[in-house]
Amino acid sequence: MLPIVLNDVCKSFSLNSSEPGQTVIQNLSFAIDAGEAVALMGPSGSGKSTVLNLIAGLDAPSSGEVIVGQSKINQLPARDKEHFRLTSVSYVFQSFHLLPSLTALENAALVAFEQRTRAPQDIVAIALNVFSELGLSDAAHKYPAQLSGGMQARVALARALVSDPKIVLADEPTGNLDSWTGSAVLDLLFREQSKRKFTLLLVTHDHAAAQRAGRILNLRDGRVLS
């Protein structure tokens, strides 16, 4: 697990250099302890997904610092940012982003294979164990198109867990699911966070989902209100 700190972060986007940028994040500061589960709430357009991208090093702040562990992520060279994302961060997306040509098990193991830190047979064994924990054993050799939305969400969660992340960034992971299925997926996410102790930042519009976290940050107009 790794702590996350944002110090006075601003982020603006501009279509071209001759026009002033649109400010999405403004003077944003907060800290998340290593192993803490935090929910980030706010209306559409408030900058929630941008915050996740800044933490993962996918976007660079216009000013301020993004610190994960001992590293200032915004100051790392591109190769080091890629290594950081590959070895330390897992995303769980609203749209799951499973590759249709791969089985559920292959999708779940893909990132772990790319890390090249464990033997292939060990990765497969870990993936099968995670599938068993998440109730996915019967889905291992099925393709995404053969799975329900809830099962695809579990496979996406399995992919995050198999790579043994220090941080999980979950961007509306139940946004495409009905309330019952979404609640079941959140049960699994928070159960695994409690067991594995990774740092979790959950972006959500759902107050019930947010209340499962240990703390809620409310984002509006690029600033944390509480």
Side-chain angles (χ1 to χ4, degrees), residues 188-204:
L188 294 171
L189 175 62
F190 281 101
R191 185 192 75 188
E192 294 301 316
Q193 190 277 332
S194 178
K195 180 170 67 175
R196 298 168 186 263
K197 305 301 183 186
F198 51 76
T199 306
L200 172 64
L201 182 57
L202 169 69
V203 164
T204 183

Side-chain angles (χ1 to χ4, degrees), residues 60-225:
S62 303
S63 61
E65 295 180 329
V66 179
I67 305 169
V68 181
Q70 302 300 315
S71 299
K72 294 181 180 180
I73 300 302
N74 53 298
Q75 296 181 6
L76 293 178
R79 174 177 286 185
D80 290 346
K81 287 181 182 178
E82 290 175 5
H83 179 75
F84 161 70
R85 284 192 293 272
L86 182 63
T87 59
S88 299
V89 180
S90 284
Y91 259 95
V92 182
F93 300 96
Q94 178 176 344
S95 298
F96 315 135
H97 293 307
L98 302 178
L99 297 178
S101 61
L102 300 182
T103 66
L105 185 64
E106 290 167 340
N107 267 286
L110 185 61
V111 174
F113 279 125
E114 291 178 350
Q115 290 174 333
R116 299 182 180 180
T117 58
R118 290 169 286 182
Q121 62 269 26
D122 292 338
I123 294 173
V124 171
I126 291 168
L128 288 171
N129 184 61
V130 170
F131 269 43
S132 177
E133 292 177 353
L134 301 185
L136 286 169
S137 296
D138 292 340
H141 302 294
K142 294 181 179 179
Y143 291 91
Q146 298 173 300
L147 303 176
S148 67
M151 295 294 277
Q152 290 186 47
R154 292 186 184 202
V155 173
L157 177 55
R159 178 179 55 198
L161 299 177
V162 172
S163 62
D164 194 24
K166 298 177 178 66
I167 296 171
V168 171
L169 303 175
D171 194 357
E172 296 281 1
T174 60
N176 288 337
L177 304 175
D178 62 74
S179 58
W180 187 90
T181 305
S183 180
V185 169
L186 288 173
D187 286 344
L188 294 171
L189 175 62
F190 281 101
R191 185 192 75 188
E192 294 301 316
Q193 190 277 332
S194 178
K195 180 170 67 175
R196 298 168 186 263
K197 305 301 183 186
F198 51 76
T199 306
L200 172 64
L201 182 57
L202 169 69
V203 164
T204 183
H205 286 96
D206 185 344
H207 286 274
Q211 288 171 354
R212 298 181 182 225
R215 184 159 55 101
I216 299 173
L217 300 175
N218 289 294
L219 192 65
R220 186 177 294 274
D221 298 328
R223 294 186 176 93
V224 168
L225 301 181

Side-chain angles (χ1 to χ4, degrees), residues 40-53:
L40 183 63
M41 299 194 71
S44 297
S46 60
K48 302 184 299 299
S49 295
T50 299
V51 170
L52 297 189
N53 289 339

